[in-house]
Structures are given as structure tokens and as C-alpha cells.
Amino acid sequence: VNFAKVRLENYFFFSEALSRRLGNRAVLSTQGGSPQASGLASSHELNESVATARQRFEENLERYLAWNFRYEFRELFDLFGRIEELYETRGPDDVRIHESKDALNSVLANHTTTKVLRERLRNMHKRIGKHLDSGLGLYPKVWARFSDRFLPELWGRYTDRCRECYDQGLEPTPETLAAMAKETSGGGEASP
């Protein structure tokens, strides 16, 4: 996780710093001469660098959020990882042969109660705050991304696999779980 966290912070800082500087590009054009002649990169090159940094930030953010979710929900994450792999390689009918409905229901009973979910979401919130409370403004953005997009998408896939492979639903719904995550942070604003 340290690798993804460090890269996440670095790409965020790099893209934010360059974006602010790009807003001040008029200085180059009033100095006369080309940016290349003065040893500076062109706005186009800097824009490409910012876009690349943002893309890599997004990639590392997904890795970091997946790691955090897996850290807190290892058994659930691993089970659905196996289900997803079976689904993709063998199809929905074969999933039940390799991962029984009883095994699924046992994991769900232990890891998806409201009490357990709220406790683990609080733990994740604290951990992310501990990792990212560096004054960059990254922590609230990461938690908002987790609760608004990552968690509902992941839980939505889990719900789809339960329905397609086991003919059963998954509670809570992705929207309800996202609302729980937002409540954890006091309504969307992440604070340590």
C-alpha cells in the first residue's frame, strides 16, 4: 500500500502544482522568445504531463481504494474475486459448482450486517485519514471518491453476481452502502 499511497500523493501534487502554474502561462508569452529557447517546456507539453499525472493518479487511487477495501473486508473481497474469475472464465452457471451458495451466505452473514459494515467503514475512514492527512487536500477527495463511486460500483458488481449466479439479492443496496460511507464522514466531508 505504501507504493500506491506515495504514487497517489505524488501524482496528485504534481498535477495540482502544474495546473496552477499553467494558469500563469501569460508570463512566458510576455518574456519574448519561445519557451523552448528559455529552457521551459511549452504549454502543450505541460498539459500532456498534467493529463498523464492525472491518469496515473486515477490508476493509483483505484489500487489504493481496492487495497483499503480488501484490508477491511478480506474474506468478502476474496470470495467475490473468485466468483468474478469463475464468472468470466466459466460462466454464471458454473460459479455455484465451485463456490457454493452456503459458502456465499456464510460470508455474507458474517460481513454484511449493518453493524459490521458501519464499523468497517469507520475503520477505513480512519485509516485513509491517517494515511493521507498531509495537508494536500487529498483526504476528502479520496473519501468522496470511495463513497460516491468506488464503493457503489464494487457493491453493484457484487450484487449483480449474487443475482446472476445464485438467484439472490445482496443487502444492503449499493446506494444504501454509499450513504453509510457518507454518514461515516459526517455527510460527505471527510475529516480525521
Side-chain angles (χ1 to χ4, degrees):
V1 73
N2 285 337
F3 184 67
K5 181 186 100 54
V6 168
R7 293 186 95 189
L8 175 76
E9 290 174 324
N10 287 344
Y11 287 125
F12 178 77
F13 178 77
F14 181 78
S15 65
E16 290 295 310
L18 274 183
S19 293
R20 277 186 249 121
R21 288 194 152 212
L22 283 173
N24 197 12
R25 296 306 295 171
V27 173
L28 280 179
S29 61
T30 60
Q31 293 175 347
S34 70
Q36 288 81 7
S38 64
L40 297 172
S42 71
S43 290
H44 176 71
E45 290 168 334
L46 289 176
N47 283 330
E48 286 180 4
S49 295
V50 169
T52 299
R54 286 189 176 147
Q55 177 187 358
R56 291 188 178 152
F57 166 78
E58 294 293 327
E59 293 166 1
N60 283 284
L61 178 57
E62 289 296 315
R63 284 186 197 112
Y64 178 73
L65 293 175
W67 176 86
N68 268 288
F69 187 85
R70 183 171 189 227
Y71 186 89
E72 222 31 73
F73 294 96
R74 180 173 300 274
E75 195 172 343
L76 188 67
F77 188 88
D78 290 347
L79 173 67
F80 278 101
R82 292 189 307 271
I83 289 171
E84 186 67 31
E85 185 176 334
L86 288 165
Y87 180 85
E88 290 175 5
T89 59
R90 297 177 185 243
D93 295 333
D94 282 359
V95 170
R96 275 180 274 186
I97 296 169
H98 300 281
E99 293 292 339
S100 73
K101 190 171 186 174
D102 289 339
L104 172 74
N105 287 330
S106 174
V107 170
L108 294 179
N110 291 325
H111 299 285
T112 62
T113 65
T114 301
K115 180 181 177 182
V116 169
L117 289 169
R118 286 186 194 280
E119 176 186 333
R120 292 190 178 173
L121 288 170
R122 269 193 304 276
N123 291 345
M124 288 179 68
H125 187 259
K126 288 177 187 175
R127 183 178 314 99
I128 290 172
K130 181 179 162 188
H131 288 170
L132 300 177
D133 189 27
S134 62
L136 292 175
L138 187 55
Y139 174 43
K141 290 177 187 339
V142 169
W143 187 258
R145 173 65 159 286
F146 174 75
S147 60
D148 293 342
R149 190 166 134 199
F150 180 86
L151 187 59
E153 287 176 6
L154 180 67
W155 206 258
R157 281 195 311 273
Y158 289 179
T159 302
D160 291 345
R161 294 303 167 253
C162 284
R163 194 175 18 250
E164 293 168 8
C165 301
Y166 297 97
D167 299 320
Q168 71 179 47
L170 177 60
E171 291 295 327
T173 65
E175 298 79 17
T176 302
L177 191 59
M180 278 186 210
K182 288 176 187 175
E183 289 170 12
T184 299
S185 65
E189 281 300 314
S191 59

